[in-house]
Amino acid sequence: MKIGLGCDHAGYELMIYIKEYLDEKGIEYIDFGTNSSESVDYPEFGEKVAQAVKNGECDKGIVCCGTGIGISISANKVPGVRCALCGDCYSARMSIEHNNANVLAIGARVTGKDLALEILDTWLKAEFQGGKHERRVNKIKDIESKYVI
């Protein structure tokens, strides 16, 4: 599995912990930035990760900004991406099991680093359940296709 990583300045410190976690687990990743706590605009990093997931360069993505809201909205603008903003382990598990999310967003200013790593661990271990959930994910794709030109 290869994971795309992206964050803005507010998510930079948390992303350092996430990279350490992935290194410990032997999970390969591509870091799309940012690489400092200097102010940057989150949309470009959300898009980079989402595009890497969409085009198959990465299997999944993880994005962080202050609240996780802006970067998740940005990632979700890329067709085929289902980015879930999760602040607890239950939501992280459900985002995979029921929604087959392919990008995880975490708010670095609202989620402590230990909880963030628990959320990430839960998200990575979860498996899509298919069945009725696949039908629903396909309906999401149908909605998306109506608006993508």
Side-chain angles (χ1 to χ4, degrees):
M1 175 187 326
K2 187 183 293 184
I3 298 178
L5 304 177
C7 65
D8 71 354
H9 56 282
Y12 174 69
E13 210 171 293
L14 177 59
M15 194 57 74
I16 291 171
Y17 291 110
I18 289 172
K19 288 194 283 190
E20 289 172 359
Y21 167 88
L22 295 174
D23 287 337
E24 287 173 16
K25 298 288 184 185
I27 299 172
E28 188 178 356
Y29 60 85
I30 299 174
D31 184 352
F32 291 96
T34 191
N35 295 307
S36 78
S37 56
E38 274 190 49
S39 184
V40 294
D41 298 328
Y42 58 79
E44 65 186 87
F45 301 100
E47 180 185 15
K48 286 179 185 180
V49 171
Q51 186 61 39
V53 170
K54 179 187 176 177
N55 71 24
E57 183 180 2
C58 296
D59 302 299
K60 295 185 176 202
I62 303 166
V63 294
C64 301
C65 69
T67 62
I69 297 168
I71 204 161
S72 66
I73 291 171
S74 301
N76 276 318
K77 296 298 180 186
V78 175
V81 169
R82 291 174 306 284
C83 180
L85 171 57
C86 298
D88 60 85
C89 293
Y90 180 77
S91 296
R93 185 167 56 88
M94 290 296 102
S95 77
I96 295 290
E97 289 183 1
H98 290 194
N99 310 116
N100 203 15
N102 49 15
V103 178
L104 171 66
I106 301 175
R109 291 180 176 159
V110 295
T111 308
K113 78 171 187 178
D114 291 337
L115 177 57
L117 294 182
E118 287 181 42
I119 290 166
L120 174 57
D121 190 59
T122 300
W123 191 75
L124 290 173
K125 290 178 180 174
E127 294 183 22
F128 183 50
Q129 292 181 344
K132 66 184 177 186
H133 305 295
E134 180 137 16
R135 183 179 72 245
R136 293 168 182 163
V137 169
N138 286 336
K139 287 184 177 193
I140 293 170
K141 292 175 183 177
D142 290 345
I143 293 168
E144 180 180 72
S145 70
K146 289 180 190 178
Y147 298 96
V148 174
I149 298 173

